[in-house]
Amino acid sequence: MAEQNGFEPVIVGFTCNWCSYRAADLAGMSRTKYPPNIRLMRLMCSGRLDPIFVLKAFTSGADGVLITGCHPGECHYLEQNYKALRRYHLMVNMLAQFGIEPERVKLVWASAAEGIQFAEEVSKMVEQVRALGPLNWPEVMADETNGRVSATAAVEEVAA
């Protein structure tokens, strides 16, 4: 049904500088095609990803978030990708409280030599979110009169 409406999901991709961003770069240099639905945001490390970044992505219109980092044990900052993994599990549970399907957030490990795998993961994520349909975050979370918490208020409260 989403395809009939011409829905094209917007995916925000948070990539670590040392591995997964280089994987995306390798995919581009080797002309490996993947959907243009992803907007990459480079972080120095996936462990640097603050959950507020994910909330801001959703409040800014993203339909999905892809988090990518170095494989466990290969982090340039020793163990920060394990921190990203812990935060990922917490975020999925937190986003479920806001009514966001867990399938809209995905954590992927990609080394600098895995451009093809990176492109495949982006393609899978786009198809997965396309099947879910648009998030419509403001409509999902803005209705405080029904006893729900406003996402914008929650984001501002966390940021303060």
Side-chain angles (χ1 to χ4, degrees), residues 8 11 13 15 20-40 66 114-127 130:
E8 283 298 323
I11 311 291
T15 62
S20 55
Y21 189 81
R22 307 240 182 235
D25 197 29
L26 178 63
M29 286 192 305
S30 61
R31 301 184 185 267
T32 303
K33 294 189 184 243
Y34 60 90
N37 303 62
I38 191 161
R39 314 299 188 261
L40 295 179
L66 180 66
E114 295 178 329
I116 293 172
Q117 291 88 340
F118 179 85
E120 289 173 354
E121 290 296 335
V122 169
S123 298
K124 286 180 197 172
M125 180 77 181
V126 168
E127 289 306 315
R130 185 177 284 145

Side-chain angles (χ1 to χ4, degrees), residues 18-105:
W18 302 105
C19 287
S20 55
Y21 189 81
R22 307 240 182 235
D25 197 29
L26 178 63
M29 286 192 305
S30 61
R31 301 184 185 267
T32 303
K33 294 189 184 243
Y34 60 90
N37 303 62
I38 191 161
R39 314 299 188 261
L40 295 179
M41 307 290 287
R42 183 168 39 175
L43 303 171
M44 286 307 290
C45 178
S46 59
R48 173 63 182 90
L49 180 68
D50 191 319
I52 199 77
F53 298 168
V54 175
L55 288 173
K56 285 203 179 247
F58 282 125
T59 59
S60 299
D63 298 302
V65 172
L66 180 66
I67 305 161
T68 60
C70 303
H71 286 278
E74 298 177 4
C75 179
H76 285 68
Y77 301 100
L78 302 179
E79 298 179 348
Q80 294 302 303
N81 50 7
Y82 291 110
K83 179 179 173 183
L85 179 61
R86 288 190 301 269
R87 283 185 169 178
Y88 166 75
H89 289 297
L90 290 172
M91 280 189 291
V92 168
N93 289 333
M94 179 189 68
L95 292 171
Q97 298 294 314
F98 289 125
I100 296 176
E101 300 93 342
E103 295 84 13
R104 292 187 185 273
V105 182

